[in-house]
Amino acid sequence: MKQTTNMSRVIGEIQSIGRKLNKDWFNGELDMDRVIWTVQSTPKAYGHFTPYLSYRVHDKEGERGAVEINLGGGTLDRNIESVIATMIHEMTHYYNWCHGVKDCSRSGGQYHSKKFKLEAEKHGLHIEYNSRIGWSLTEPTEELIEWVIENGFEDFRLGRNEFQEMIVVGTGGKSVTPPKFPKKSNSIKMICPCCGNIARVTKTTNLICGDCLQKMIEV
């Protein structure tokens, strides 16, 4: 796959991954033609889903409505499995919305109920609890990570530089904080070529699979 350093190519790849996720993790139940993927600023969040038809789409079939799934532009260059976990998180909201399940409440709809957790964990996610936003903390399961590796998805190689202005007291003016790029993970994925066991290390090493006693390879 070509390196995704062009935003239009990134959006195209996100759409492609979304359709593949729908097929493999949602049993093809989602109407992905009703989804508009966007990449823009999402303060304090990795993404969001609009639980209403926020777009009008005009095509040869006429006019139809579509929901929006957004990925935060400042978080796009995380490890690809983390980005895909965010995609599944938002697609789970879409799935619940399509089935008439209300999975968020209070705090402007930010608090994720256990209904969200139970459905999300059917689709390759591990969900943890937070007192402010409920069952929302999202991590990919090992099964999902293996799926990402098997499909050869690569990290997106761009991310929006999001920073805030800082007022300098006493100078009568203002300055801007230096850009802070999201910290990339230093972990390296290694896989056993025999049984497919996955391990993560912080530097390349001669790692042996405990099940097969085979040398693991970096991926």
Side-chain angles (χ1 to χ4, degrees):
M1 186 181 72
K2 292 182 178 180
Q3 290 187 355
T4 45
T5 57
N6 177 281
M7 184 55 74
S8 62
R9 185 175 293 149
V10 167
I11 293 293
E13 184 66 13
I14 288 171
Q15 292 173 333
S16 177
I17 294 173
R19 293 184 182 277
K20 181 69 171 169
L21 287 171
N22 180 41
K23 177 177 179 293
D24 291 353
W25 290 95
F26 290 86
N27 199 32
E29 295 183 42
L30 298 177
D31 183 356
M32 299 308 292
D33 290 334
R34 295 179 70 196
V35 175
I36 302 297
W37 292 95
T38 61
V39 175
Q40 53 190 331
S41 177
T42 305
K44 299 182 180 180
Y46 292 124
H48 68 248
F49 162 75
T50 59
Y52 55 91
L53 301 177
S54 54
Y55 277 81
R56 293 191 306 275
V57 179
H58 303 271
D59 55 25
K60 61 182 179 181
E61 304 297 329
E63 182 179 304
R64 57 185 169 82
V67 299
E68 177 188 21
I69 295 180
N70 175 70
L71 300 180
T75 69
L76 197 61
D77 55 352
R78 293 175 293 151
N79 289 336
I80 188 62
E81 62 266 25
S82 296
V83 176
I84 288 176
T86 297
M87 293 175 66
I88 294 178
H89 179 117
E90 305 306 337
M91 289 171 70
T92 300
H93 284 307
Y94 178 37
Y95 180 91
N96 286 336
W97 178 75
C98 289
H99 289 80
V101 176
K102 185 178 180 180
D103 59 15
C104 286
S105 62
R106 79 178 191 239
S107 302
Q110 295 181 6
Y111 188 88
H112 292 55
S113 72
K114 210 159 190 177
K115 291 180 181 179
F116 174 81
K117 167 186 166 65
L118 294 175
E119 190 60 47
E121 291 186 339
K122 298 177 184 178
H123 306 294
L125 299 183
H126 175 72
I127 304 296
E128 292 287 347
Y129 182 78
N130 175 275
S131 60
R132 184 177 63 85
I133 55 178
W135 295 99
S136 180
L137 304 181
T138 301
E139 293 289 341
T141 61
E142 286 300 316
E143 186 181 4
L144 178 58
I145 292 172
E146 289 177 12
W147 180 87
V148 172
I149 294 171
E150 289 170 0
N151 282 276
F153 297 128
E154 297 181 4
D155 293 348
F156 296 127
R157 298 177 181 270
L158 82 169
R160 183 172 179 173
N161 180 25
E162 297 180 349
F163 58 97
Q164 298 179 348
E165 291 183 341
M166 177 180 65
I167 302 298
V168 181
V169 179
T171 64
K174 64 180 180 180
S175 65
V176 177
T177 57
K180 293 183 179 180
F181 293 96
K183 185 179 290 186
K184 295 283 286 183
S185 170
N186 292 324
S187 67
I188 299 171
K189 289 181 284 190
M190 303 192 75
I191 187 169
C192 173
C194 180
C195 69
N197 277 341
I198 295 173
R200 292 179 178 275
V201 295
T202 56
K203 62 181 180 179
T204 303
T205 183
N206 292 321
L207 197 64
I208 302 297
C209 174
D211 292 334
C212 305
L213 300 181
Q214 295 290 319
K215 182 177 179 180
M216 303 184 82
I217 59 176
E218 182 179 342
V219 294

